[in-house]
């Protein structure tokens, strides 16, 4: 890499999904939490992080105007590059990969609907990736998981000590992720996440321990939870500044 101390880092934020489970009249990323659009909360963390050089925001082309009007201009983002999304999340990420700075060392992929990501996790993900080439944020599974068969009966219960709930960001060497996506296109593979595509390249993916608060907003109930988390974080931040 060009600079091991401070690698050139780009983040791709896919936010082109329709979010149908939210049952809202607009796409969920434009719904507000604590008076600010979900997408603005997400972008703000990466905008403020000094290790992030550019943010490639992948959205539906018909939403370019609303995104600029409600998110980009009001909050004065300067690192953003808008890219038209694809029909699937994987296609959107691939379009983002083709649009980032070709000199990029590290590329992160983060869900637009995860607005409570912490900067400390972003920083750890970058430096873990410098060392291990591929990482994904995750948290230990809280619940017992059962593997079932087609008949609906339990087949076995895996050891929860080895189960991790995967979040984002997922972070990779730029060339590694680009090649993984190119191979997926050639082979007609649709992965559940970017780490899956990299795993297919026989590259081990290191887990970076995250926070349970880094929730993905999918349903109306998630909005309530995220609002509570953000209010608490703001309150704690004010206490720290006062002291």
């Amino acid at each position: 890499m060009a600079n091991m101390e401070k690698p050139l880092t780009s983040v791709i934020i896919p936010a082109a999904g329709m979010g149908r489970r939210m049952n809202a009249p607009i796409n969920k990323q434009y719904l507000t939490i604590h008076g600010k659009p979900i997408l603005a909360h997400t972008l703000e963390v990466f905008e403020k992080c000094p290790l992030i050089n550019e943010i490639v925001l992948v959205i539906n082309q018909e939403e370019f105007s609303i995104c600029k009007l409600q998110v980009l201009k009001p909050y004065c983002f300067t690192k953003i590059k808008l890219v038209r999304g694809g029909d699937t999340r994987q296609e959107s990420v691939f379009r983002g990969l083709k649009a980032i700075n070709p000199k990029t060392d590290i590329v992160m992929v983060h869900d637009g609907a995860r607005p409570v990501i912490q900067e400390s996790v972003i920083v750890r993900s970058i430096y873990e990736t410098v060392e291990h080439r591929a990482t994904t944020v995750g948290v230990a599974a809280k619940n017992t998981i059962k593997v079932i068969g087609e008949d609906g009966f339990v087949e076995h219960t895996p050891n929860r000590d080895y189960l991790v709930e995967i979040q984002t960001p997922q972070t990779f060497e730029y060339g590694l992720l680009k090649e993984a996506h190119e191979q997926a296109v050639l082979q007609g593979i649709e992965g559940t996440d970017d780490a899956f595509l990299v795993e297919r390249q026989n590259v081990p993916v290191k887990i970076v321990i995250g926070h349970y608060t880094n929730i993905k907003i999918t349903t109306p109930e998630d909005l309530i939870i995220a609002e509570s988390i953000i209010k608490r974080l703001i309150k704690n931040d004010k206490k720290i500044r006062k002291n």
Side-chain angles (χ1 to χ4, degrees):
M1 291 183 186
N3 186 342
M4 298 296 284
E5 293 298 319
K6 189 177 184 296
L8 187 66
T9 303
S10 301
V11 57
I12 298 170
I13 299 188
M18 297 304 292
R20 291 182 175 87
R21 280 178 285 179
M22 186 60 71
N23 294 319
I26 57 174
N27 275 0
K28 63 184 178 182
Q29 59 260 31
Y30 303 108
L31 298 173
T32 59
I33 297 175
H34 202 65
K36 184 187 298 183
I38 291 169
L39 187 55
H41 281 285
T42 305
L43 294 173
E44 194 170 62
V45 185
F46 291 94
E47 175 79 21
K48 291 180 177 179
C49 179
L51 293 185
I52 299 297
N53 297 93
E54 69 172 349
I55 302 168
V56 177
L57 176 59
V58 189
I59 63 173
N60 296 323
Q61 189 167 17
E62 57 269 25
E63 293 180 352
F64 273 36
S65 294
I66 187 173
C67 183
K68 290 175 181 176
L69 186 65
Q70 295 189 11
V71 178
L72 303 187
K73 288 183 180 178
Y75 300 99
C76 303
F77 293 112
T78 61
K79 298 179 180 179
I80 306 291
K81 181 187 293 183
L82 276 182
V83 172
R84 179 170 60 90
D87 293 332
T88 65
R89 183 186 186 278
Q90 184 169 309
E91 185 180 348
S92 291
V93 173
F94 191 37
R95 288 187 178 188
L97 278 169
K98 290 187 282 189
I100 67 176
N101 185 337
K103 295 181 179 179
T104 291
D105 298 307
I106 297 291
V107 59
M108 315 187 87
V109 182
H110 183 70
D111 298 322
R114 288 189 189 270
V116 203
I117 179 63
Q118 296 184 21
E119 184 177 319
S120 59
V121 175
I122 295 170
V123 172
R124 279 193 286 115
S125 293
I126 292 170
Y127 285 117
E128 288 280 355
T129 303
V130 168
E131 182 176 353
H132 300 289
R133 302 188 68 204
T135 68
T136 181
V137 173
V139 291
K142 289 182 177 181
N143 300 308
T144 297
I145 306 295
K146 302 285 186 181
V147 177
I148 64 171
E150 292 181 0
D151 58 4
F153 286 89
V154 173
E155 290 190 345
H156 72 276
T157 304
N159 186 338
R160 196 170 65 189
D161 292 342
Y162 300 102
L163 296 178
V164 175
E165 295 177 18
I166 296 303
Q167 302 175 343
T168 63
Q170 298 189 342
T171 312
F172 312 92
E173 288 181 357
Y174 168 55
L176 174 63
L177 185 59
K178 190 168 182 286
E179 183 181 355
H181 270 266
E182 288 169 345
Q183 289 297 314
V185 171
L186 288 173
Q187 297 168 19
I189 300 296
E190 191 72 30
T192 52
D193 64 358
D194 296 281
F196 171 79
L197 301 183
V198 170
E199 289 161 28
R200 292 185 68 254
Q201 302 293 100
N202 295 317
V203 175
V205 178
K206 179 78 160 49
I207 297 296
V208 175
I209 300 301
H211 301 274
Y212 291 103
T213 54
N214 182 24
I215 65 169
K216 185 175 182 180
I217 296 177
T218 306
T219 65
E221 292 77 17
D222 296 330
L223 283 171
I224 298 169
I225 296 169
E227 177 98 26
S228 175
I229 293 169
I230 286 173
K231 282 182 177 178
R232 192 185 72 204
L233 290 173
I234 291 172
K235 187 176 180 180
N236 289 343
D237 187 52
K238 285 181 180 178
K239 280 185 179 178
I240 293 170
R241 290 181 181 181
K242 187 178 281 189
N243 294 333

